[in-house]
Amino acid sequence: MNIQTAYDNWSDSYDADINLTRDLDSRVTRAGLGHRTFASILETGCGTGKNTAFLAGIGKQVHALDFSEGMIAKAHQKVNAANVRFEMTDLTQHWPCNDAAYDLVVCCLVLEHIANLSHIFAEAARVLQSGGTFFINELHPFKQYRGSKARFEQNGQTVEVDAFVHHISDFLTAAKSNRLTLVTLNEYWHEEDAGKSPRLISFLFER
Ligand SMILES: C[S@@+](CC[C@H](N)C(=O)[O-])C[C@H]1O[C@@H](n2cnc3c(N)ncnc32)[C@H](O)[C@@H]1O
């Protein structure tokens, strides 16, 4: 099943499913960005809008992109703030965004589904203003090495969404090639992860 169809199918249950990675990302995003404010935020892969409502509170304008009609429909239901605009976009193509138009680009739990990290970093660098922030949360590669990937239940079957392994050095190389400077790199565990590999990796880059 292709990634877009998988997320369309997952959209009905995504918010209600038990999902420790989704919940941890929600907390880490709020902790990482909640003390700052922004003029113009681009959220890439907004999904059902779990983080979009929060971003609408710290940004004057939020432009939220996703290629799943089902996920965006859920986000629309959840977030009807006047300062949020949703747009169907495949992030592997040219983004429908002007150069240097945003002071924050957010990308949470999306990059495991993107083969070519370099394109994402190039587009983020293009649309960010000088001094702007690129915030990424991603399933930690250590979990990927052990076979973890986004998955959900459908009609009693487990559906695994296609995923690509990205090493930590891949993120850092893609950033460097696009003149994005690493500001912080953090690793996070859910309370239920005691004694296990970190679940989430979080990067903050500056343009
Ligand atoms: C695990 S969900 C995360 C959603 C949200 N960021 C969150 O943290 O809850 C991954 C999202 O990325 C989107 N996505 C994956 N590949 C994409 C692509 N090539 N273009 C646009 N969206 C994509 C999916 O449709 C899905 O909504």
Side-chain angles (χ1 to χ4, degrees):
M1 187 185 297
N2 76 37
I3 295 167
Q4 195 172 16
T5 307
Y7 274 104
D8 280 340
N9 292 349
W10 194 357
S11 58
D12 271 337
S13 63
Y14 183 85
D15 287 339
D17 286 351
I18 293 171
N19 185 333
L20 303 187
T21 307
R22 175 202 63 205
D23 297 345
L24 183 60
D25 167 73
S26 178
R27 295 208 300 267
V28 168
T29 300
R30 283 152 182 77
L33 297 173
H35 58 292
R36 299 176 60 183
T37 55
F38 299 89
S40 183
I41 299 176
L42 179 67
E43 185 185 16
T44 57
C46 62
T48 61
K50 176 197 83 202
N51 291 335
T52 315
F54 159 70
L55 295 173
I58 61 165
K60 280 206 183 86
Q61 298 295 328
V62 178
H63 187 188
L65 310 178
D66 202 289
F67 73 170
S68 161
E69 201 172 353
M71 297 295 270
I72 285 219
K74 292 286 175 193
H76 257 298
Q77 288 167 14
K78 193 178 292 150
V79 185
N80 65 358
N83 63 338
V84 177
R85 179 164 66 96
F86 292 101
E87 190 164 9
M88 288 267 298
T89 301
D90 183 347
L91 297 168
T92 65
Q93 307 298 310
H94 178 80
W95 297 357
C97 307
N98 292 333
D99 295 359
Y102 306 88
D103 53 353
L104 173 66
V105 174
V106 175
C107 187
C108 292
L109 308 182
V110 179
L111 296 179
E112 72 170 303
H113 303 306
I114 305 277
N116 181 5
L117 274 192
S118 180
H119 170 75
I120 300 297
F121 277 78
E123 282 293 83
R126 178 181 68 77
V127 305
L128 270 175
Q129 296 159 3
S130 175
T133 297
F134 185 23
F135 180 82
I136 295 173
N137 279 344
E138 196 50 49
L139 182 66
H140 200 293
F142 295 173
K143 301 275 293 178
Q144 291 194 300
Y145 301 156
R146 300 171 72 90
S148 279
K149 51 173 80 166
R151 57 168 66 88
F152 64 102
E153 298 295 315
Q154 185 180 25
N155 305 324
Q157 307 268 354
T158 300
V159 178
E160 287 196 335
V161 187
D162 287 350
F164 306 90
V165 173
H166 300 303
H167 310 292
I168 295 174
S169 57
D170 295 336
F171 290 95
L172 301 182
T173 302
K176 192 170 179 197
S177 311
N178 290 287
R179 301 175 317 283
L180 291 161
T181 305
L182 181 67
V183 179
T184 56
L185 188 170
N186 286 306
E187 296 166 306
Y188 295 95
W189 288 254
H190 191 276
E191 293 79 355
E192 295 188 20
D193 295 331
K196 296 188 187 159
S197 308
R199 179 175 292 274
L200 205 69
I201 190 157
S202 181
F203 302 92
L204 200 147
F205 297 100
E206 190 176 289
R207 169 84 165 84

